[in-house]
Amino acid sequence: MKRRKQRKEEFAMADEIILAGKPKSQFYKLPFDKNTRILRLNVLESHTDLRAGNRPYYMVERKVLSFKKGILIIRVKLENEPPVKVYLKVEYDHLLVSCNIDTDENYLGRYVYRTLRAMLWNEFHDFKEYYWPECFNEATGKTKYLEVICDRYGVDIRLKKEFKGFSGQMIISCTYPNARYWRESL
């Protein structure tokens, strides 16, 4: 009996999706406004006791490192501290967030909070540009539909030239007919 339970747990762990080296279940979830990809400041603040103070966007140095497998990876440096990595994954109705040192499914760490707080400088942020479900190969992390450019100005994600006449929704529905979520038209 004990061995059967252990095997069941091993199979469950093998099936779990790994994002940025962590199981998806260990990412903190922040809900969006209904039917949007908008995260509001009051939602962020309701999930933590941390506060950023005056002009929080000036005290956080952020650099987008990559956008692979639908995960935006940002290098974050707070004043007089070593840099860390913050991971953002946009799902249908919530934002999954994590950090390489202090955030898990039950605790929203200060690096993630300060990063999001800097992004929410005008009381909200629309994460729609990072929502590309089912467009990335899980094994390789690559996509044949999207052109992702990460440079010193941030990240630019768009359909490749040969798919310009299609909406993201059309590509996903043709390629993944059983996909649960659809990308809105561009």
Side-chain angles (χ1 to χ4, degrees):
M1 179 95 160
K2 190 174 189 179
R3 190 171 198 182
R4 187 181 303 162
K5 184 178 179 184
Q6 183 180 10
R7 269 195 166 162
K8 205 175 198 180
E9 289 174 0
E10 286 173 4
F11 284 123
M13 288 180 72
D15 290 341
E16 189 161 17
I17 296 171
I18 303 296
L19 303 173
K22 282 185 173 181
K24 187 175 179 179
S25 63
Q26 291 182 3
F27 276 62
Y28 195 88
K29 292 180 181 180
L30 291 166
F32 291 131
D33 285 355
K34 190 175 182 178
N35 298 322
T36 71
R37 306 296 167 275
I38 294 175
L39 178 65
R40 299 214 175 264
L41 179 59
N42 62 341
V43 171
L44 176 64
E45 303 256 327
S46 71
H47 284 259
T48 184
D49 293 331
L50 299 168
R51 295 295 177 261
N54 295 336
R55 298 188 303 193
Y57 35 89
Y58 288 121
M59 298 178 226
V60 179
E61 181 184 317
R62 296 172 291 153
K63 181 179 191 273
V64 174
L65 298 178
S66 69
F67 184 72
K68 293 181 181 170
K69 294 186 181 181
I71 301 171
L72 182 67
I73 302 174
I74 304 171
R75 188 190 76 201
V76 176
K77 185 173 180 342
L78 300 181
E79 54 284 333
N80 302 321
E81 295 184 31
V84 300
K85 290 181 182 174
V86 171
Y87 309 103
L88 306 176
K89 170 97 169 100
V90 178
E91 295 286 332
Y92 179 72
D93 61 352
H94 61 276
L95 179 66
L96 293 174
V97 294
S98 190
C99 179
N100 65 336
I101 62 168
D102 72 349
T103 296
D104 62 24
E105 69 274 16
N106 299 314
Y107 175 71
L108 182 67
R110 70 186 183 99
Y111 291 100
V112 172
Y113 169 76
R114 294 285 301 274
T115 302
L116 290 173
R117 182 62 183 93
M119 294 173 87
L120 299 169
W121 63 274
N122 62 348
E123 306 287 321
F124 72 94
H125 186 82
D126 192 348
F127 288 90
K128 180 180 174 182
E129 68 182 297
Y130 306 115
Y131 184 64
W132 293 95
E134 308 295 332
C135 282
F136 291 88
N137 181 313
E138 286 298 317
T140 65
K142 296 183 180 185
T143 177
K144 62 182 176 180
Y145 303 109
L146 302 178
E147 183 179 0
V148 179
I149 301 168
C150 285
D151 57 18
R152 65 182 178 191
Y153 302 110
V155 65
D156 189 20
I157 307 161
R158 57 182 164 230
L159 290 171
K160 288 185 177 177
K161 289 180 183 175
E162 58 265 30
F163 302 109
K164 282 287 187 201
F166 296 101
S167 70
Q169 180 176 345
M170 291 170 78
I171 289 174
I172 293 168
S173 63
C174 293
T175 310
Y176 302 96
N178 296 324
R180 279 180 50 199
Y181 308 118
W182 306 110
R183 171 86 165 115
E184 295 88 15
S185 296
L186 299 175

